[in-house]
Amino acid sequence: MGGEQGKRKNAPGGDGGQKQKKKKTGGAGKWTTPNQANKLALERNSIPQIGDRGIWVTCARHQENKAAREVINLFEEYIETMYGIKPASKEAKVGDDDDADLDIEAAIAKELGAMKENKTADVQKQEEDRALLKAMKLNIDCLLFVRTKDPIEPVEFVKRIVVDTKECTDIRKIKCRYLNRLTPMSVMGKATEQGLAETARQVLEEHFDLSGKKGEKTEGDGGAEAETNKEGDNNKKREYKPYTYAIRPTIRNHSNLKRDVVINTIANLINDERHRVDLTKPDKVILVDIFQTVCGLSVVDGDWDELKKYNMTELYNQAAGITTVGQKKKQQQQQQDQKQDEKTSESVKDEETKDTKEQE
């Protein structure tokens, strides 16, 4: 009896009675429940994708939900003004007013609950694809992305908003409390050197001669020399204005493409005999925004710096005559520099006067 009991204890796997737990992976970990599939579909549709176009929005810290509703309301107003399209609903697409203090995970959970009750992820995606605007709250503080659809052209759309903001001198008419900078993106591509070059060609060909630097092979073309020559021939057939330009890259949550690589890849595409770099007062500014696996580009007018780099808060403060602490320090430094220049100038004049007298 004792021997049989011992055998029974050691029988299951010979581990002394301890049972091994099996992992329920199901199909090598590829099997998912309907709820998991819906959640994954929702997450995929909540980040910028290759081929998208839209507007990066920076906002006040920890105010992403309020900023998302605010930016949708603002954009819907301008869609109606500029394109004559009345939004289907004046409500923001990112939640109701009682969601103001919800974090991103809670907001996603609520959206999943509503989706489970009423519609599948595929149906919701189809509806969002038809919408002109889609606000995306990302896994980084102070940053949103608003995907846009035709007929919205991000560059002209944002330019209209910031020009109106600059002219708003009545602080009571300020429409945005949480929004900061708006950065239009004409095309989103893959965040690799080759993807950057391809996206740059697509965006820049309207403004610049892309026959490349004289005697240099274009970087980031994957060795496609024939394709580069073909594009150069097509560019030569067009007459391009001799625009000066500056490249302004922004890189977030990405480590592969470095700033110098981004600048050189784009600059090597542009004919340096027709177009030259001007970092002070360029005719055009090339905006490059890289986030995780996607990169976006756009070309804006040279008054980008004058318009506070499309920063809504700074434009409102400027229009209303409000001076921030940073602006005060900058003004003080400019005044000190000016005084120093005046002293230097007076000293030079005194030296010249002294030398003249000695010669006489």
Side-chain angles (χ1 to χ4, degrees), residues 47-59:
I47 58 176
Q49 302 291 328
I50 296 171
D52 281 350
R53 65 182 184 185
I55 302 164
W56 288 108
V57 181
T58 61
C59 62

Side-chain angles (χ1 to χ4, degrees), residues 64-75:
E64 290 82 4
N65 287 282
K66 294 179 180 178
R69 286 194 304 278
E70 191 173 72
V71 75
I72 290 295
N73 290 334
L74 176 68
F75 286 2

